[in-house]
Amino acid sequence: MPIRVRHNIAGYYALRSEPGVVADLEARGQRVLAAAGGEAAGYGMDSRQGAKRPQGRWRVSVVTNTPEAMLDNAENNTLLRAMGAAR
């Protein structure tokens, strides 16, 4: 007997923007940012919900904001090495 699954896309969208989910993702992003050296080292973090096509996943990005941070990341793979802090 086949199982029918009905996906509630609006429910997925609402779940992904729940305060608990967002807080967890932002806490992980803050840990990666701190492991990379923080804003003082030229790194930054962005948190937002993606476009609703149809999912609208929440994303947190840690990026380089200054040329010095870009050079540091290029030479030392700083962001890649900091990813373990997200666990």
Side-chain angles (χ1 to χ4, degrees), residues 33 42-46 61-65 69 79:
L33 178 63
Y43 294 93
M45 188 185 90
D46 181 42
S61 304
V62 179
V63 297
T64 57
N65 285 336
L79 290 175

Side-chain angles (χ1 to χ4, degrees), residues 11 17 20 28 67-68 70 80-81:
S17 61
R28 291 171 186 264
E68 293 81 10
M70 290 176 197
L80 186 60
R81 292 176 189 267

Side-chain angles (χ1 to χ4, degrees), residues 3 5 19 30-31 66-67 77:
I3 298 173
V5 176
Q30 286 294 335
R31 290 195 302 265
T66 63
N77 291 321

Side-chain angles (χ1 to χ4, degrees), residues 1-72:
M1 174 180 339
I3 298 173
R4 292 186 181 249
V5 176
R6 295 188 66 186
H7 294 278
N8 182 350
I9 302 300
Y12 291 158
Y13 188 81
L15 179 65
R16 289 182 174 118
S17 61
E18 283 289 316
V21 173
V22 173
D24 178 59
L25 292 172
E26 288 180 347
R28 291 171 186 264
Q30 286 294 335
R31 290 195 302 265
V32 171
L33 178 63
E39 292 181 359
Y43 294 93
M45 188 185 90
D46 181 42
S47 175
R48 62 184 149 155
Q49 191 163 21
K52 191 175 179 182
R53 287 180 287 183
Q55 290 139 354
R57 293 189 172 123
W58 201 275
R59 22 183 104 130
V60 174
S61 304
V62 179
V63 297
T64 57
N65 285 336
T66 63
E68 293 81 10
M70 290 176 197
L71 181 62
D72 174 55

